[in-house]
Amino acid sequence: MNRRKKVTVVGAGNVGATLAHRLVDKELADVVLVDIIEDMPQGKALDLAESAPIEGYDCRLVGANGYKETADSDIVVITSGIARKPGMSRDDLINTNKGIVKQVTEEVVKYSPNCIIIIVSNPLDAMCHVAYKVSGFPKHRVIGMAGVLDSARMSCFLAEALDVSVENINSFVLGGHGDTMVPLARYSTCAGIPIPELLPKETIDKIIDRTRNGGAEIVKLLKTGSAYYAPSAATVEMVESILKDKKKILPCATLLEGEYGISGLFIGVPVKLGANGIEKIVEINLTVEERTALQKSAAAVQELVDIIGM
Ligand code: APR
């Protein structure tokens, strides 16, 4: 039987609700919004459903406080958790969010044993580890959203510095989703031209630094939460590539098993995203300096994984 694709979004807060909105706006799937707050996901789902006649999307929207409604989802995006407050590092969130991601993953697996899980909750790479261990899923079905967001931030800053269309820019970011991430200017391009040909090193260094601290910059401005427009947009790009089997190469957190000299950790690298989830990990040559930076980022992720102890 043909049926529409189904995406569950766990956590109907800022990221989750904005993601649901973007998914139905693109008519990508029916959406189930799940949250522990009573009536809230139902309210947001109904509000979005009532926009459909105006916007013209034929997607079913359901809100729930349990998981029965999520059964047989193609993709489950986990955004539940507490968001970062000003002055709080991503890492401070680790223990609370570990418990939440563990509980959510157990429920998700019960109802959608064949789904692909996309993790958005922070600290991202460590939460991927939790979902991977708890779900028992093969590694190609547990994916972390970070690199698409980080490279979008870098592209935004590069387009501004070059005064060109954002569509001309392709940015390349490797590593964990934290301030040790590794934005690579020489693999980042404007209309196919490597960025170091177009901008002075000083400008590039500033942009790399701003990219690394992109999440914190928004937290500082918002004061009551963390970014959600760009994170939800980044997640949609991943969901779309999977649901439409587009096989886009996107930077995502995936379990490395020897690639880039790293084993047993979720780290952001370029992967091919298609109907089966991660269909290929793309390995590129790194300079000694870049490799060292990636190892440093992996060490930071390892520290978090040690804290969660799984
Ligand atoms: N099950 C379901 N939902 C939960 C659970 C749980 N066990 N625990 C918390 N939630 C819900 C909260 O009730 C809240 O509505 O998760 C939602 C999180 O929403 P926000 O607080 O608005 O946070 P948001 O900005 O959406 O960020 C979510 O994404 O980018 C990351 O660091 C960010 O980890 C955070 C996540």
Side-chain angles (χ1 to χ4, degrees):
M1 187 187 75
N2 252 343
R3 66 160 179 89
R4 287 199 208 123
K5 299 288 186 185
K6 180 170 175 179
V7 174
T8 287
V9 180
V10 183
N14 280 336
V15 176
T18 315
L19 173 60
H21 187 179
R22 291 188 189 279
L23 288 171
V24 293
D25 253 355
K26 291 195 129 190
E27 219 171 35
L28 284 174
D30 288 343
V31 174
V32 182
L33 260 179
V34 178
D35 204 286
I36 39 167
I37 301 176
E38 209 174 309
D39 290 340
M40 183 270 265
Q42 291 85 341
K44 290 192 179 179
L46 180 60
D47 196 5
L48 282 168
E50 288 167 356
S51 329
I54 306 163
E55 297 291 338
Y57 47 77
D58 283 304
C59 297
R60 197 162 168 260
L61 283 134
V62 173
N65 300 116
Y67 288 79
K68 208 171 86 216
E69 295 82 350
T70 71
D72 298 322
S73 293
D74 297 282
I75 297 179
V76 176
V77 182
I78 300 181
T79 79
S80 50
I82 58 161
R84 242 184 335 159
K85 310 266 165 19
M88 195 185 199
S89 79
R90 271 195 198 91
D91 308 358
D92 293 337
L93 297 175
I94 192 159
N95 277 319
T96 312
N97 284 356
K98 172 195 167 182
I100 293 172
V101 170
K102 181 173 179 290
Q103 179 254 325
V104 168
T105 304
E106 284 163 356
E107 295 293 326
V108 164
V109 169
K110 249 186 257 169
Y111 288 93
S112 302
N114 300 313
C115 73
I116 291 169
I117 296 177
I118 298 178
I119 299 291
V120 177
S121 308
N122 274 316
L124 194 273
D125 312 277
M127 292 307 115
C128 291
H129 201 89
V130 174
Y132 173 68
K133 291 282 179 188
V134 172
S135 66
F137 280 7
K139 65 172 191 167
H140 63 271
R141 289 202 281 128
V142 180
I143 314 165
M145 187 294 293
V148 178
L149 168 63
D150 296 329
S151 48
R153 284 182 173 143
M154 184 165 167
S155 294
C156 168
F157 306 146
L158 286 170
E160 197 183 13
L162 289 162
D163 191 25
V164 298
S165 165
V166 286
E167 291 187 73
N168 278 147
I169 311 284
N170 233 308
S171 295
F172 195 99
V173 179
L174 284 173
H177 185 49
D179 48 19
T180 60
M181 74 176 77
V182 189
L184 291 184
R186 73 189 179 94
Y187 278 114
S188 303
T189 56
C190 171
I193 307 159
I195 292 300
E197 306 266 330
L198 301 171
L199 286 173
K201 184 172 181 310
E202 197 187 284
T203 309
I204 295 175
D205 286 347
K206 272 195 195 133
I207 287 176
I208 287 179
D209 200 50
R210 193 172 175 200
T211 301
R212 284 201 176 112
N213 295 298
E217 183 178 2
I218 304 278
V219 169
K220 203 167 155 221
L221 291 167
L222 294 183
K223 295 184 180 71
T224 54
S226 52
Y228 52 100
Y229 290 115
S232 56
T235 311
V236 170
E237 189 174 24
M238 293 167 64
V239 168
E240 185 171 28
S241 190
I242 294 168
L243 292 183
K244 294 185 175 170
D245 195 24
K246 284 172 80 80
K247 302 189 190 295
K248 268 193 181 177
I249 308 281
L250 295 171
C252 300
T254 184
L255 182 73
L256 295 182
E257 290 175 309
E259 299 90 350
Y260 292 92
I262 297 165
S263 262
L265 287 178
F266 275 81
I267 298 282
V269 295
V271 300
K272 190 199 281 183
L273 276 194
N276 299 314
I278 292 183
E279 299 184 351
K280 188 183 163 66
I281 293 175
V282 181
E283 260 191 288
I284 51 150
N285 286 324
L286 298 179
T287 63
V288 174
E289 196 181 305
E290 290 161 355
R291 190 167 270 266
T292 308
L294 186 61
Q295 292 294 345
K296 192 176 153 209
S297 188
V301 174
Q302 181 70 60
E303 264 178 44
L304 299 180
V305 170
D306 289 344
I307 297 171
I308 59 173
M310 294 178 99

